Amino acid sequence: MADQQNIAQVARKEWMGLLARAPEEALMALWSKFEAQPSFDWLRSPEVGGVMVRGRTGGTGAPFNLGEMTVTRCSLALKDGTVGHGYVQGRSRRKAEAAALIDALMQTEAAGDIRAQVIGPLSQQMQAAKTARAAKAAATKVEFFTMVRGED
């Protein structure tokens, strides 16, 4: 039972992270194609705020405050009582609402449809963009080498 909860938590963390990082245009384009737009009640309407982003030197060193980032959050409940939360980068209230609706629907029987029509394609788009950025960066890589001088 505990293993199933851990698996569900990991899966939810992954889709919520994907929704938080996704470009708004890509998310909204995929979400607008989803036929079943459910009705809901707000638990917390979208609100904009800031969070402190922390970093670690070298990824493992002592934590330090890197700076602030703007986020928008909201919470809603579907008519069946399923609760969804949306935390997204930036100031987009509609992106936060879409993220919260998707989060809620991913906890219902509609999860398969949402995964096929929104989460999967969004993940593929973001991976393709990441691969393109990596290829562009690799093209500018300079190889340095050292020559030994003065030896015969």
Side-chain angles (χ1 to χ4, degrees), residues 4-150:
Q4 289 177 340
Q5 279 185 329
N6 289 340
I7 292 169
Q9 286 176 345
V10 168
R12 188 173 187 198
K13 180 180 177 181
E14 288 176 7
W15 79 63
M16 289 187 79
L18 177 72
L19 295 170
R21 291 184 306 272
E24 182 177 359
E25 304 80 34
L27 175 61
M28 298 312 292
L30 292 167
W31 176 241
S32 67
K33 293 177 186 176
F34 189 71
E35 292 111 22
Q37 300 283 331
S39 58
F40 62 89
D41 294 316
W42 288 115
L43 299 176
R44 176 187 296 138
S45 62
E47 55 190 22
V48 177
V51 296
M52 180 60 67
V53 178
R54 301 204 60 180
R56 290 183 178 270
T57 306
T60 58
F64 64 94
N65 292 339
L66 185 62
E68 291 186 6
M69 180 176 80
T70 304
V71 296
T72 304
R73 70 177 182 177
C74 66
S75 298
L76 52 80
L78 300 178
K79 294 302 179 186
D80 68 0
T82 306
V83 175
H85 304 284
Y87 287 84
V88 298
Q89 296 177 9
R91 298 177 166 272
S92 177
R93 288 175 165 84
R94 65 185 206 127
K95 181 181 174 189
E97 178 183 329
L101 280 166
I102 292 168
D103 177 46
L105 289 171
M106 285 294 290
Q107 300 172 65
T108 67
E109 294 174 359
D113 292 337
I114 291 286
R115 191 176 311 282
Q117 296 178 30
V118 180
I119 300 292
L122 188 59
S123 179
Q124 291 172 352
Q125 287 177 16
M126 290 181 66
Q127 185 60 45
K130 183 177 180 179
T131 302
R133 277 192 315 272
K136 187 175 179 181
T140 65
K141 183 177 179 182
V142 177
E143 295 289 337
F144 291 95
F145 60 92
T146 304
M147 292 178 32
V148 178
R149 295 183 185 194

